Amino acid sequence: MLATSFLQFHRIKPLEGVVALGTQPATLKLVGVLVTLLGWLVVLFGLHVVSSVSGRMIAALVGLAVSLVGVLGILPTACNKNAIWKA
């Protein structure tokens, strides 16, 4: 079944036509990755700098929030600038 589906895929693949794929903004992707890494660095350094449990928890939550902004806010924006469905 797998071989048959593979052969059928190659049979219909030329019928798809040209894929409208634009270049993605590399700088915005790099900013998203850097913000995500910055969030993790806040967590790691916050755990070493602060000695109280509540301070470490706050540092971890702030670092997690910064990482989520990078992952859920900036990176999808960079990837959707020239998405296939917007062609």
Side-chain angles (χ1 to χ4, degrees):
M1 285 177 48
L2 186 63
T4 303
S5 66
F6 181 73
L7 291 173
Q8 293 294 330
F9 169 73
H10 279 293
R11 187 175 60 107
I12 65 171
K13 181 69 177 163
L15 301 175
E16 289 183 4
V18 180
V19 178
L21 196 64
T23 59
Q24 304 294 334
T27 54
L28 196 55
K29 285 183 181 179
L30 184 63
V31 168
V33 169
L34 290 176
V35 168
T36 304
L37 291 176
L38 176 71
W40 282 107
L41 289 176
V42 167
V43 171
L44 290 176
F45 286 120
L47 292 176
H48 291 291
V49 171
V50 181
S51 60
S52 67
V53 174
S54 61
R56 287 182 174 187
M57 185 177 294
I58 290 170
L61 289 174
V62 168
L64 181 63
V66 171
S67 292
L68 287 175
V69 165
V71 171
L72 298 177
I74 298 173
L75 285 176
T77 303
C79 293
N80 285 334
K81 285 287 185 188
N82 297 322
I84 293 173
W85 58 87
K86 291 183 178 182

